[in-house]
Amino acid sequence: MRFLNEMIQIPVCTFIFIWVYAVNVSAGEIKGVVLFSPQSVKTQARQTMPRYPHGKSRELPMHGIGNTTQAVVYITGKFPDSTFSTPDTQPIMDQRDEQFIPYILPVLAGTTVNFPNNDRVYHNIFSFSKAKTFDLGKYPTKTSKKVKFDQTGVVKVYCEIHAHMNAFILVLPNPYYSVVNQDGKFSIPDVPAGTYQLKIFTGRGTESEKKIIVNDNRTTLVEFSL
Ligand SMILES: [Cu+2]
């Protein structure tokens, strides 16, 4: 009899464990596409980017479509658990061919970003942005410096030596974001069920947003036209 009880208990326990586990991880996916109009691509190609808070605005070449990240989608809203752990591997904002790669780097607040210099020349990375002000000083090829981004917001990154170098670090309050790929597609998996604002960020700022509902085990499809 006791043996029979044990036989029954094991499957029941397993069932409860699986059920609880499934409830905890129940989430949905946000998937979509961004349709960039020719005009949108054109205006992103060149833009006025004042480097200093009180400096003159000047025309700077921007990364165009096809060579780097041109847009990031992210969500804001309330989450059942709002403590998120930062990634184990530190994201990289590379310096190559006198360009920052990627052009837009989204990170969760609290993340430390590496800035390796993979050029033969010196670079001097700095930012005067409200979300993070820093100046890494000049450093040579094959060396790297790090910056921790604690505060959410947009950090505009420049090089003191090369006026044409500029990029963005988008510091976000949660890990639910996606880089839009070259086909304009994006996907944010494992989003807790709920109602959120889905926003799209390009080199011109946060351009558009939509209210979305994420349901358990469902895919929410979204389309943006810029
Ligand atoms: Cu430089």
Side-chain angles (χ1 to χ4, degrees):
M1 189 60 195
R2 199 173 156 207
F3 174 74
L4 191 69
N5 268 345
E6 278 176 8
M7 285 285 284
I8 295 165
Q9 272 169 10
I10 292 165
V12 167
C13 285
T14 309
F15 172 77
I16 289 170
F17 173 76
I18 290 169
W19 180 74
V20 170
Y21 186 72
V23 166
N24 281 343
V25 297
S26 64
E29 185 184 14
I30 304 167
K31 236 176 162 172
V33 64
V34 185
L35 306 166
F36 293 98
S37 69
Q39 184 57 29
S40 166
V41 173
K42 210 169 132 193
T43 52
Q44 275 188 84
R46 285 190 74 83
Q47 204 176 75
T48 303
M49 292 273 288
R51 297 171 78 202
Y52 304 100
H54 306 291
K56 274 186 189 168
S57 294
R58 53 182 293 180
E59 285 276 303
L60 294 173
M62 300 280 278
H63 300 267
I65 195 165
N67 58 357
T68 46
T69 309
Q70 56 171 359
V72 166
V73 288
Y74 63 100
I75 61 172
T76 56
K78 280 189 181 150
F79 296 89
D81 179 5
S82 59
T83 50
F84 303 111
S85 47
T86 52
D88 293 335
T89 49
Q90 292 172 345
I92 289 169
M93 174 63 85
D94 203 357
Q95 299 149 78
R96 251 171 224 273
D97 304 324
E98 295 186 11
Q99 278 194 335
F100 288 115
I101 301 165
Y103 173 46
I104 304 170
L105 178 67
V107 298
L108 173 66
T111 300
T112 298
V113 174
N114 259 297
F115 292 87
N117 180 357
N118 282 303
D119 267 330
R120 286 189 185 166
V121 294
Y122 279 78
H123 290 297
N124 184 159
I125 305 166
F126 73 95
S127 180
F128 283 120
S129 296
K130 220 171 131 189
K132 189 75 186 183
T133 296
F134 63 93
D135 185 343
L136 298 182
K138 273 200 277 184
Y139 58 102
T141 182
K142 302 299 171 200
T143 57
S144 188
K145 290 201 176 186
K146 293 175 183 186
V147 180
K148 190 175 181 185
F149 294 91
D150 276 319
Q151 210 180 313
T152 57
V154 178
V155 180
K156 292 180 181 175
V157 179
Y158 302 98
C159 175
E160 172 65 36
I161 303 165
H162 305 101
H164 55 275
M165 289 177 69
N166 60 85
F168 294 91
I169 294 183
L170 183 62
V171 190
L172 297 167
N174 63 66
Y176 306 111
Y177 53 76
S178 168
V179 168
V180 177
N181 74 15
Q182 292 192 359
D183 298 328
K185 289 180 182 157
F186 63 87
S187 144
I188 311 174
D190 302 324
V191 181
T195 304
Y196 306 101
Q197 284 297 112
L198 178 69
K199 301 178 184 183
I200 180 158
F201 179 89
T202 72
R204 290 179 300 230
T206 297
E207 293 210 45
S208 182
E209 61 179 87
K210 279 177 203 283
K211 186 180 162 185
I212 55 151
I213 296 166
V214 176
N215 292 307
D216 290 345
N217 303 313
R218 295 281 166 85
T219 300
T220 304
L221 295 170
V222 194
E223 190 180 291
F224 278 113
S225 294
L226 295 183

